[in-house]
Amino acid sequence: MWQSSPPGSIYDYIRVASFSIGPDGLIEQWSRRAAGLFGVAAHDAVGKDPVEAFMPGELRVDGHRRVGEVLDGKEWTGLVPFRMPGEDGLRGLAEIYVMPSESATGERAAVCIVVDVRALRRIETDLAASQAIFGQSPFGFVLFGTDFTVLRANQRFATVFGGRADEHRGRTVHDYLAGPEADRLSATLSRVLETGESVTDLQLVGTAPGDSERRHWSMNLYRVHSGTGRPIGIAGLATDVTRRHIAAREAASARRNLALLNEASARIGNSLDLETTARELLDVAVPGFCDLASVDLYQALLTGEEAPPGSWSSLRQESVGGSAELRRVAFASAVSDAMPDAIPDTVEAVGDASRPRALTAAPALGAVHRYAFNSPCAIALRTGHVEDVPGDERGFVQSSLAVPMVAHDTVVGLVRFSRAKGSEPFGERDRALATELAARAAVCIDNARLYRREHERALILQRSLLPPGDPEAAGLDIACRYLPGNTATEVGGDWFDVIELPGHRTALVVGDVMGRGLRAAVAMGELRTAVRTLALLDLEPAEVLSALDEVARGLGTPGGSNSSDGGGGAQWPSRAAHKSREADLSEVYLATCVYAVYDPVTRRCTFANAGHLPPVVVEPGEPALLLDVPPGMPLGVGGEPFEEVEVELKEGALLALYTDGLVESRDHPLDEGLEALRGALVEPVRPLEDVCDHVLSTLDTRHGEDDIALLMARIQGLPAEAVGDWRLPRELRSVGRARELARGQLLAWDLDDLVDTTELLVSELVTNALRYGEGEIRLRLLRDRTLVCEVWDAGLVQPRRRRARDTDEGGRGLQLVGLLSAAWGSRRTPRGKTVWFELPLPDGEPAAERTVEELLSMF
C-alpha cells in the first residue's frame, strides 16, 4: 500500500518510510523507502540496533528507554534527530510513530512509521508563500483545471468580475468574455496545456459585470505540474491594461496626427491653383484622417471678384439662404463614389436666385450652392468655428465635422470631414487636427487667391505693353510670337515692339530683361515705354539705345537717380540698404535690346545693338545670314557708346529679330541654336505666319526654361510710283513750284480731295524753309496707308509753334499745319532737319469742315 501510492498523492511530496523492530530490539524489517530516507540498504540495516545505528550518542540512553517502553506495549510519537549517512555528521529530523505489535509466536515487537520533517516544513513554507502571493497580489490570479474550469481565483480577480473568490470555482471562460474572445482564450488554454509553451501578453477585450465600458486585459498563461511532472492545470496572471491601451491609442493618434501634419506640410500648397490645393488637402485627409471629405470655396473667390476688407464677412452673412454662394471644388471618398453625407434640406442649389430649391443629396462636383441659414455648415461659416454634423440615420455616415477654412481672419470656404459607421467617432484631438489641416489649406488657398489677383494684374500689364497681334507697317509684312517661359504665370521680361515713325518709316524693337516673373515684366514695361518715347523723338538708333541705357541705369539706382538734399549734399543710402537694393535690382534692370529703323522708300534698315543676339536676314535664293551688328554692352551697364550698321535689303527679303530663349537652352550651346535657326529659315517665300510656326516647331527651344519673343518682317518697299521726290532751289518761286508739283502728283494718284489742303500746307512748309532754313530744299510726297509730305533743308533750327498776336500778319503757318493735318512734326537729319505732315486718304466721305472756334484758335 505504501509503495503503490497513486499519482498525485501526498506521498509525491513528502518522504515516508517504515521498518519493524523485533522482540530483541533489533531491526527485523527494512522498507525500500527507509533505505531511501536513511541512505542504508536493507542488508546493512536488518539485525542492527536502530538506536545505536542512527541516533546520536548523547540520545542513545533515552532512545533505549523508549524502545523498551514500546516493547512493553506503549505507543510513542515524537521528533527524533538522526544521522544522515554519508553526509559528514549532518543531522536529519524525523517524526516517528512507533506502534507495538506481536510476532507470530506471540512475542512483543514494534512497527515504526517515519516522516521526513524537513519535507513537511518545505511543503508548509511553499503553501504559505503560495497563499500569500495568490491572495495578496495586485494582479488577478486564476488557476484553470485540465477541463478549463476555474479551480481557484484570488480576490483581485473576483474584484474585477464580482463576487467572492471561492464563488468563481467551476466557471468557464464563457462566463467572463463574449463569444469570439472566449473562443480565442479557450483555444489558447488548449494549446498551452498540450504543448507546455507559455503565452505572454495575450490581449483580451470585454466588459466587467455591471459595467458597459470596454476593458482591455493582458494575460500570461503557463502550464502547472505536480511533483512527478504531471500537468494538473493552467495558471493565469491577468492585468487590467485599459489605461495603458488608452494611453497607447492616444500616443498612436498623436503620432498619426503629427505624421498627417507633416504630410500636409509637404503636399498641400505645391500649386498656386485653388482647386488643386483643395484636392491636395483631401489627398492627405482621406483615408488617413477620415473616410470621405469635401471642400467648398466661395464662388466670389473663384471668379476673382475684388472685395474690400471685411467683405468676406458680409458675404458670409447674406440673408438669402444664410450664406454666400459656394462651389464644390473637391471631393474624395475611401468607401464610396457617392457623397452620402449631405443633410437633407440644408443645401440649396443656385439657379434662379429668387427661387432657390432645396437639395436632399450632396451637391455634385463643380456645383454652386448655398447652405441653409440654421444648418451646421452655415453656422460654421458665420462663426469661424468647427461644428459637429449629426450622421444620417439612413446612410452609413457616423459623424462629420464642418470646418471653416480661415486664413488671416478671412473665411475662404468650408471643408467637411466624415467618418463612416464602424469607424471611431471624432474626438477633441481630431477636431484640433481638422482645424489645423483646414487652416493650412486655407492659407495656401488665400495665397493662391492673392497670387491669382496679382498675376492677372501683371498679365494685363504685360499684354497691354505688347503690340497687337497683327501690327501694320508701311513696306513691311509683319508676324510675331511671344511665349512666356513659365506657362503657369505667363509673365516674363522679353518684349518686342513695332513703332510707326514719320515718313512711313518703322522702328522694330526686340529686348530681353534679365530675370523673369513680375519684376522682370515691370522692368520690361518701363523700358518699352521709354523706347516708345525715345522713338517718337525720331532719334537715330544709336542715340535711342544711349538714352535707353541712361534710363535703365536710373531704374537700377535707389530712388531712381542720385538726388541731392536741400543743402546740396548727396543723399547716399546706407551700405546695407545699398546691398539689399543691389540684390533686388541688379539683374532685373539689366537688359539686351536690338533697335532697327526701316525706310520703305530706300529699303534700307539701320541697326543698333545693346548686347543682344544678331538679327537674321534671308534674301530670296540665299541662305540665312547673321548680320554683323556690333553687339555693344547691355542696357544698364553704361560707359560704352553704341554703333550703327545700315543695310540695304532686297525686295522679299526676310528679317528676323528674336530673344535667346529661341536658340539657347541647358541642353545645347548658343552656336548650335543659331545654326538651327538659320536652318529653319530655308523657305522665306512661305506665308509669314507659317514661317513663324515652322521656326517654333522646328527648334528645340525647351520651352519653359526662358521667355521667347520672335518678330519677323518681310521687306516690301514702297513702289516708285508711290513716291514723289523733288529738289527746289533756294528762291521765292520755289513756293509756287512746290504747289504745282504737289498738285500734279496728287492728281496722278487720284487724290483730288486732298489737293487744296496739301497745296496750302506745302506752301507754308516751303515758305518756312526759305525764311528760317538753309541750303537746298527737298520736297517729298509718300503714298501708302496715309499721305505724307516732307520738306527738308539744311537748317538746324527746329520749327516751333507760337500764338500770333491779332495785329501780326504772319506767324500762323504751323498752326494751320497742326489744324488741317492728322499729324505733323520735325526731326533732325545728318545734314539738317525735316518738317512733315500727314493726311488721311479720302474714304469717299466729305471732309469735315473746320468750325469757327477752331479757326479762331489761331488768333
Side-chain angles (χ1 to χ4, degrees):
M1 183 68 177
W2 294 109
Q3 299 301 323
S4 60
S5 59
S9 70
I10 187 64
Y11 302 106
D12 290 338
Y13 302 96
I14 64 175
R15 302 176 72 184
V16 180
S18 65
F19 63 92
S20 64
I21 301 175
D24 54 1
L26 302 178
I27 297 174
E28 188 176 64
Q29 293 179 342
W30 190 256
S31 67
R32 292 180 180 177
R33 286 185 178 261
L37 176 64
F38 293 103
V40 179
H43 63 81
D44 293 331
V46 174
K48 290 187 177 181
D49 185 344
V51 175
E52 295 294 332
F54 301 106
M55 294 185 67
E58 67 272 13
L59 298 177
R60 290 174 184 174
V61 175
D62 187 58
H64 285 297
R65 183 174 58 82
R66 296 292 184 184
V67 171
E69 292 176 352
V70 171
L71 292 178
D72 290 338
K74 184 179 180 180
E75 292 185 359
W76 181 80
T77 301
L79 295 176
V80 179
F82 65 91
R83 290 180 299 166
M84 299 292 292
E87 296 190 10
D88 298 330
L90 182 66
R91 294 185 179 186
L93 184 65
E95 183 177 286
I96 300 179
Y97 179 29
V98 184
M99 297 175 290
S101 65
E102 293 182 356
S103 65
T105 60
E107 295 178 305
R108 292 184 178 180
V111 175
C112 299
I113 304 224
V114 183
V115 178
D116 188 349
V117 175
R118 292 184 305 173
L120 290 176
R121 294 292 183 269
R122 285 198 302 268
I123 293 175
E124 182 182 22
T125 302
D126 290 345
L127 288 175
S130 175
Q131 182 63 34
I133 294 174
F134 206 88
Q136 300 173 19
S137 172
F139 308 110
F141 268 100
V142 61
L143 179 63
F144 295 97
T146 55
D147 58 353
F148 307 142
T149 60
V150 176
L151 298 179
R152 185 178 179 185
N154 68 351
Q155 188 57 42
R156 178 59 182 170
F157 185 87
T159 301
V160 175
F161 291 100
R164 299 190 308 273
D166 56 358
E167 292 178 349
H168 289 269
R169 187 183 305 273
R171 293 184 179 179
T172 67
V173 294
H174 291 276
D175 294 322
Y176 303 105
L177 300 173
E181 289 290 270
D183 294 340
R184 190 162 66 89
L185 178 56
S186 296
T188 305
L189 291 172
S190 178
R191 186 172 70 254
V192 172
L193 184 62
E194 291 176 2
T195 64
E197 296 179 357
S198 61
V199 173
T200 59
D201 197 23
L202 175 64
Q203 296 292 318
L204 300 172
V205 180
T207 56
D211 189 1
S212 60
E213 182 183 359
R214 288 168 59 90
R215 311 289 296 180
H216 295 262
W217 294 283
S218 173
M219 200 163 193
N220 299 328
L221 300 171
Y222 57 94
R223 192 170 66 183
V224 180
H225 307 88
S226 67
T228 60
R230 179 180 60 86
I232 61 174
I234 302 168
L237 175 63
T239 306
D240 190 336
V241 293
T242 303
R243 291 184 179 179
R244 187 175 71 187
H245 182 81
I246 293 174
R249 184 176 60 189
E250 291 181 351
S253 176
R255 288 193 298 270
R256 181 199 64 187
N257 293 352
L258 289 175
L260 275 175
L261 290 177
N262 183 59
E263 184 181 6
S265 299
R267 297 180 60 183
I268 299 176
N270 293 321
S271 169
L272 288 173
D273 180 75
L274 279 71
E275 292 84 352
T276 301
T277 302
R279 289 193 295 269
E280 290 171 346
L281 168 62
L282 299 194
D283 289 342
V284 172
V286 179
F289 176 67
C290 61
D291 298 317
L292 58 166
S294 63
V295 177
D296 299 324
L297 297 180
Y298 279 115
Q299 178 72 354
L301 181 147
L302 293 168
T303 56
E305 297 177 9
E306 292 293 337
S311 60
W312 290 111
S313 176
S314 62
L315 285 173
R316 295 196 304 271
Q317 298 177 9
E318 284 185 1
S319 59
V320 179
S323 69
E325 295 180 1
L326 299 111
R327 184 193 303 172
R328 180 140 299 177
V329 296
F331 165 69
S333 173
V335 293
S336 174
D337 293 334
M339 184 68 175
D341 64 335
I343 304 174
D345 301 327
T346 60
V347 179
E348 297 173 347
V350 176
D352 184 356
S354 61
R355 300 180 62 186
R357 56 187 180 87
L359 295 178
T360 57
L365 191 63
V368 179
H369 62 92
R370 291 188 179 96
Y371 285 108
F373 185 82
N374 292 322
S375 66
C377 293
I379 295 174
L381 289 169
R382 288 196 303 272
T383 62
H385 300 300
V386 181
E387 291 291 326
D388 293 311
V389 182
D392 184 4
E393 296 181 357
R394 297 174 296 176
F396 57 84
V397 172
Q398 176 175 255
S399 63
S400 298
L401 295 176
V403 186
M405 305 178 73
V406 183
H408 310 117
D409 297 327
T410 297
V411 177
V412 298
L414 181 83
V415 58
R416 183 165 171 175
F417 302 108
S418 301
R419 287 181 178 173
K421 292 180 178 177
S423 299
E424 186 176 355
F426 290 111
E428 286 301 318
R429 192 187 300 272
D430 295 321
R431 291 167 64 92
L433 176 60
T435 302
E436 180 65 22
L437 289 174
R440 295 194 179 199
V443 170
C444 295
I445 287 175
D446 193 50
N447 290 340
R449 174 182 71 88
L450 296 174
Y451 169 79
R452 175 181 289 184
R453 183 185 66 186
E454 296 303 320
H455 168 253
E456 289 176 352
R457 291 175 177 176
L459 196 57
I460 292 172
L461 168 66
Q462 185 176 49
R463 288 178 175 173
S464 67
L465 294 175
L466 293 176
D470 298 316
E472 296 181 355
L476 292 176
D477 181 14
I478 294 177
C480 51
R481 296 289 187 273
Y482 175 78
L483 299 177
N486 188 334
T487 56
T489 62
E490 299 184 10
V491 177
D494 290 13
W495 90 93
F496 62 91
D497 208 346
V498 179
I499 307 171
E500 293 187 56
L501 300 177
H504 288 314
R505 294 171 306 133
T506 303
L508 303 175
V509 188
V510 167
D512 183 0
V513 175
M514 296 182 185
R516 64 177 59 187
L518 181 59
R519 289 180 57 81
V522 171
M524 177 272 289
E526 294 174 323
L527 293 177
R528 178 183 179 272
T529 301
V531 170
R532 278 193 159 263
T533 302
L534 294 170
L536 294 178
L537 295 177
D538 210 355
L539 302 176
E540 295 298 322
E543 294 178 310
V544 171
L545 292 186
S546 296
L548 193 62
D549 179 62
E550 293 291 336
V551 172
R553 283 192 290 164
L555 294 176
T557 302
S561 63
N562 288 336
S563 60
S564 299
D565 59 16
Q571 290 279 14
W572 296 104
S574 67
R575 184 177 181 86
H578 176 74
K579 287 185 176 181
S580 175
R581 182 70 174 179
E582 182 179 358
D584 290 341
L585 300 178
S586 60
E587 291 187 355
V588 171
Y589 288 108
L590 287 179
T592 62
C593 180
V594 168
Y595 185 86
V597 175
Y598 172 68
D599 187 343
V601 178
T602 61
R603 294 197 314 276
R604 300 185 70 83
C605 190
T606 305
F607 297 92
N609 190 351
H612 203 79
L613 295 175
V616 178
V617 172
V618 187
E619 295 186 341
E622 300 291 337
L625 175 67
L626 296 176
L627 290 181
D628 186 14
V629 180
M633 299 298 291
L635 301 176
V637 175
E640 295 292 333
F642 297 97
E643 299 182 41
E644 293 181 359
V645 172
E646 188 176 61
V647 179
E648 183 176 350
L649 303 173
K650 294 183 179 180
E651 186 76 19
L654 192 63
L655 173 65
L657 304 178
Y658 53 92
T659 56
D660 57 358
L662 183 67
V663 294
E664 187 177 21
S665 72
R666 298 187 183 97
D667 298 331
H668 56 75
L670 178 61
D671 291 343
E672 292 182 8
L674 292 174
E675 191 62 30
L677 175 60
R678 293 179 58 194
L681 296 173
V682 294
E683 299 182 37
V685 296
R686 297 170 60 183
L688 202 54
E689 294 290 339
D690 294 345
V691 175
C692 284
D693 294 336
H694 176 71
V695 169
L696 293 177
S697 62
T698 301
L699 268 64
D700 185 14
T701 61
R702 290 292 189 271
H703 179 51
E705 295 181 2
D706 198 2
D707 307 329
I708 296 175
L710 175 63
L711 177 61
M712 304 192 75
R714 177 170 285 119
I715 304 303
Q716 297 173 349
L718 289 181
E721 58 270 16
V723 180
D725 194 353
W726 306 276
R727 296 182 182 274
L728 302 173
R730 189 170 188 79
E731 52 189 30
L732 291 178
R733 62 179 183 178
S734 294
V735 176
R737 178 58 178 163
R739 287 198 299 265
E740 293 175 4
L741 294 172
R743 171 183 289 273
Q745 187 64 67
L746 292 181
L747 293 177
W749 286 339
D750 295 326
L751 298 179
D752 303 33
D753 294 341
L754 300 181
V755 170
D756 294 338
T757 303
T758 304
E759 277 191 297
L760 175 60
L761 300 186
V762 165
S763 177
E764 290 294 335
L765 294 187
V766 173
T767 300
N768 283 345
L770 290 172
R771 180 176 298 178
Y772 305 107
E774 297 177 7
E776 187 180 36
I777 298 173
R778 183 178 177 185
L779 172 66
R780 189 168 75 169
L781 295 179
L782 306 176
R783 179 188 178 186
D784 192 68
R785 292 172 297 157
T786 62
L787 175 67
V788 174
C789 175
E790 299 177 330
V791 176
W792 299 0
D793 69 80
L796 298 178
V797 178
Q798 296 291 319
R800 180 175 59 87
R801 290 180 59 177
R802 64 182 180 87
R803 183 175 298 278
R805 294 188 296 269
D806 294 344
T807 57
D808 289 345
E809 295 182 0
R812 298 180 179 87
L814 292 181
Q815 288 184 280
L816 278 173
V817 174
L819 179 64
L820 299 179
S821 65
W824 79 278
S826 66
R827 67 177 184 274
R828 291 181 301 161
T829 64
R831 294 180 297 275
K833 66 176 181 297
T834 300
V835 183
W836 58 271
F837 67 84
E838 184 176 343
L839 295 176
L841 298 182
D843 54 5
E845 297 293 332
E849 295 184 0
R850 301 300 173 180
T851 64
V852 175
E853 288 77 8
E854 290 176 328
L855 294 175
L856 291 177
S857 65
M858 295 186 294
F859 296 92

